Amino acid sequence: MADNFLENQYEEYLKQKAAKENAKRIAWRKRLQAYKEKLAQEKLKANEK
C-alpha cells in the first residue's frame, strides 16, 4: 500500500512538472510571437520614413 501511495505521488508530481513545462513553453512562444510582430511593425515604420 505504501508503494502504491508513493507511486501515485510521484506520478502526480510528474504530471504537474509536465504541465508547468508546457505552460512555460506556451508563454515563451507568446512572447516570441509578440516580439516578432513588434519587429515587423518597427520595420514597416522605418520603411515608411
Side-chain angles (χ1 to χ4, degrees), residues 31-49:
R31 286 193 306 270
L32 180 63
Q33 184 64 29
Y35 180 70
K36 285 181 178 180
E37 289 174 7
K38 179 183 171 186
L39 287 178
Q41 289 175 358
E42 288 177 355
K43 187 175 181 181
L44 286 175
K45 286 182 183 179
N47 288 338
E48 289 176 355
K49 291 182 180 179

Side-chain angles (χ1 to χ4, degrees), residues 9-42:
Q9 290 294 320
Y10 187 66
E11 288 174 7
E12 188 65 30
Y13 164 75
L14 291 178
K15 287 178 188 176
Q16 290 176 357
K17 183 178 175 184
K20 284 181 185 179
E21 289 175 0
N22 191 30
K24 192 176 181 183
R25 273 191 232 106
I26 290 171
W28 184 83
R29 281 190 218 131
K30 277 185 165 181
R31 286 193 306 270
L32 180 63
Q33 184 64 29
Y35 180 70
K36 285 181 178 180
E37 289 174 7
K38 179 183 171 186
L39 287 178
Q41 289 175 358
E42 288 177 355

